[in-house]
Amino acid sequence: MTERPFDPSMQVYFDYLARCEQAFRPYAPIELPEFFAGRIEQIKRLESEVGAPGRHVAIYGERGVGKTSLAQLAYFFLRRDEEDTHFVRCLATSTFDTIFAGVLAKAGREFVLNGVEAERERAGTVGLGQTRVSGRRRTRETFRRVGGDLRIEPPLLFDVFGEREGLIIIDEYDRVRDAPTHTRVAELIKHFSDRGSRTKIILVGVAETLTQLLGEHQSLSRSLAQVKLDRMSDDELSDIIAKGEAFLGTAFKSTMKHRIVRLADGFPYFVHLVCRHACRVAGRVLGKQRTASLVVAEEEYREGLADALENAEHSLVEQNQQAVITTRRKSDKFELVLRAMALSESKEVPVQDLARNTSYFVGGSPMQASSFSSTLGELAKEKRGWALTKVRDGYYKFSNPLMRPYVRFQLEHERLLIPGGQWEFPFMEER
């Protein structure tokens, strides 16, 4: 069998795809500082608080706003040694012992409860064609007990970390369901604060308030600073695209950039998702012509958007399907309400707004609120995946804040949000 000759154009294309995975990362946190955009004020606050004696930090906010990316690059922004930065992701089953077993193991202290599994992240590379891209992979290891009957307590942890200029970052802390763990973490932070630990603890999790993340631990108010990540501004989201353009040598038409930014609703996840797939579509021309100009115009944007929705976060797709599909068929009434919700600029949507928004889909006069009140109630139940939450009488919100931009992008894909057409919504205006 004759071996096919090497095609340089295909290697250029493979190299480009590999760079796409670095520039736009909807499926993993940002790992390289040069691709991190925005959050200037939060970084300054983080630097100020970590530099203060006795202060530790909690980073919190909605899902999809980039908390983990900021946490993973905290060592860089705070100018700490990556070797002394210990990053742990929590599970629903995590306890104080399992969390800090992994931290101790990474620090070289093989003190772990017998049979306890600890998750580590190891640096490595992944390949695409002949291109290698740096990355990380997770491994699980089981350690034997070392240290007799010693327990993992604040004094032991201070002895190991107190004099190191390091960071202990506990991500997805909101997933921890064990109440004693929250109490013991609060005691650890207070102990580290009182003894002037040079290693600082950073808690990261999904929450609307610090109390929601930590529980009622008033004693932490002095030693734990709050850094809340709100949704990103349009300028910050545009900066994500600009960094990707510069790295890839791919130009987005201004109209496409505007629509991606406005539809993303402040969530960097959706900017990364749509841009990744649109750039991959734009790059196909490299397989035929190595020096071709790469542009994301209407055609590339539309095809990339279709791919993006097909490959969106699985939990979003599942939740949307559970909300609208009845006996294996899509229910118009549930889909209508979700679409009407998505058209509102308010996070907490009054029923009167929903009634007005339905007219865009059904034509004629707005529906009466009473005609879909039972549908709203059903969407706020487990059977419909708790798609909506009743805030108070007459007001509802998406339970998952990422659902609003997801539904908006669906409307865009179906060409129901027509630029310059009969539908003009405030959330699509320039700001």
Side-chain angles (χ1 to χ4, degrees):
M1 181 177 179
T2 305
E3 186 176 336
R4 293 178 61 184
F6 173 68
D7 185 347
S9 294
M10 291 309 298
Q11 184 57 47
V12 170
Y13 175 55
F14 289 142
D15 290 346
Y16 172 80
L17 291 181
R19 295 200 307 275
C20 281
E21 303 308 313
Q22 290 180 297
F24 298 115
R25 294 173 63 87
Y27 308 119
I30 303 297
E31 290 183 337
L32 299 175
E34 55 264 40
F35 298 119
F36 189 90
R39 302 304 189 192
I40 302 301
E41 293 304 314
Q42 289 82 1
I43 291 170
K44 289 180 180 177
R45 177 82 191 280
L46 184 63
E47 185 177 19
S48 173
E49 296 294 353
V50 167
R55 288 287 263 183
H56 303 267
V57 177
I59 300 173
Y60 64 98
E62 293 177 302
R63 287 182 58 200
V65 295
K67 298 180 299 297
T68 298
S69 292
L70 175 59
Q72 284 201 164
L73 289 171
Y75 77 91
F76 173 82
F77 298 125
L78 299 173
R79 295 177 293 281
R80 300 288 176 112
D81 191 334
E82 190 173 6
E83 287 301 310
D84 285 325
T85 298
H86 310 290
F87 191 97
V88 178
R89 282 194 177 91
C90 296
L91 306 171
T93 55
S94 292
T95 65
F96 185 90
D97 288 329
T98 60
I99 290 169
F100 287 97
V103 173
L104 285 165
K106 185 180 177 186
R109 183 72 177 263
E110 297 295 308
F111 175 98
V112 187
L113 300 178
N114 191 37
V116 168
E117 287 187 332
E119 189 173 88
R120 288 186 181 183
E121 286 196 349
R122 294 184 182 277
T125 57
V126 294
L128 187 59
Q130 295 183 7
T131 300
R132 309 298 292 176
V133 180
S134 62
R136 291 178 179 270
R137 62 185 179 86
R138 291 192 223 172
T139 59
R140 295 192 66 83
E141 300 175 356
T142 302
F143 300 93
R144 295 175 299 171
R145 175 188 291 275
V146 176
D149 294 328
L150 290 174
R151 296 185 62 209
I152 302 177
E153 295 289 359
L156 170 67
L157 291 166
F158 182 83
D159 287 345
V160 176
F161 299 105
E163 297 304 319
R164 301 185 186 187
E165 200 81 13
L167 298 170
I168 296 175
I169 302 170
I170 305 174
D171 192 26
E172 299 190 34
Y173 186 64
D174 57 289
R175 299 183 67 186
V176 177
R177 296 289 174 261
D178 182 58
T181 294
H182 290 288
T183 300
R184 292 179 70 186
V185 168
E187 291 171 349
L188 174 65
I189 292 172
K190 190 172 185 306
H191 185 85
F192 270 35
S193 177
D194 291 345
R195 294 192 62 182
S197 172
R198 295 172 66 188
T199 287
K200 299 302 182 80
I201 297 171
I202 300 178
L203 302 180
V204 186
V206 175
E208 294 182 6
T209 65
L210 187 62
T211 299
Q212 190 181 79
L213 178 64
L214 303 177
E216 298 292 342
H217 291 288
Q218 298 300 324
S219 61
L220 288 180
S221 59
R222 175 177 62 84
S223 53
L224 193 67
Q226 304 180 38
V227 176
K228 185 178 182 183
L229 262 61
D230 293 314
R231 300 183 190 186
M232 296 182 84
S233 68
D234 286 2
D235 286 344
E236 289 177 313
L237 295 177
S238 296
D239 194 29
I240 294 173
I241 301 177
K243 286 177 180 287
E245 285 180 306
F247 182 67
L248 295 173
T250 304
F252 282 72
K253 293 291 187 182
S254 59
T255 302
M256 304 304 103
K257 284 194 280 191
H258 167 71
R259 298 188 73 76
I260 292 170
V261 167
R262 295 305 303 137
L263 287 166
D265 202 18
F267 290 101
Y269 165 74
F270 280 103
V271 173
H272 282 275
L273 179 69
V274 177
C275 287
R276 173 190 185 269
H277 288 281
C279 284
R280 288 173 67 90
V281 172
R284 290 175 188 165
V285 68
L286 292 174
K288 301 175 181 178
Q289 184 182 351
R290 285 182 291 169
T291 59
S293 297
L294 302 181
V295 178
V296 175
E298 182 79 20
E299 182 179 348
E300 291 79 13
Y301 167 63
R302 289 289 174 186
E303 188 173 346
L305 176 58
D307 291 342
L309 289 171
E310 190 174 327
N311 292 277
E313 185 178 306
H314 188 62
S315 62
L316 272 176
V317 178
E318 268 194 343
Q319 189 176 26
N320 184 68
Q321 289 178 340
Q322 187 174 353
V324 303
I325 293 178
T326 304
T327 60
R328 299 184 182 181
R329 297 180 62 184
K330 187 179 290 186
S331 169
D332 291 340
K333 66 177 183 178
F334 293 122
E335 185 174 54
L336 174 64
V337 169
L338 292 186
R339 289 182 167 189
M341 285 281 297
L343 295 186
S344 177
E345 272 208 291
S346 303
K347 292 182 183 178
E348 298 178 357
V349 183
V351 175
Q352 290 85 347
D353 280 7
L354 288 176
R356 182 181 65 252
N357 291 344
T358 55
S359 64
Y360 291 109
F361 303 102
V362 299
S365 302
M367 297 173 63
Q368 295 295 315
S370 58
S371 65
F372 54 81
S373 58
S374 62
T375 304
L376 282 168
E378 287 187 61
L379 286 168
K381 293 181 179 178
E382 181 180 7
K383 184 179 179 181
R384 295 284 152 210
W386 290 293
L388 302 181
T389 296
K390 184 176 181 179
V391 181
R392 56 188 181 278
D393 285 345
Y395 286 82
Y396 287 81
K397 69 176 182 179
F398 283 107
S399 302
N400 181 350
L402 290 168
M403 187 60 71
R404 184 167 77 173
Y406 178 74
V407 175
R408 288 179 177 180
F409 273 113
Q410 283 185 319
L411 293 172
E412 171 82 334
H413 174 55
E414 295 176 23
R415 297 180 180 268
L416 296 179
L417 301 182
I418 304 171
Q422 59 181 343
W423 285 14
E424 294 293 339
F425 298 103
F427 63 80
M428 291 304 295
E429 295 173 358
E430 290 277 5
R431 294 184 181 178

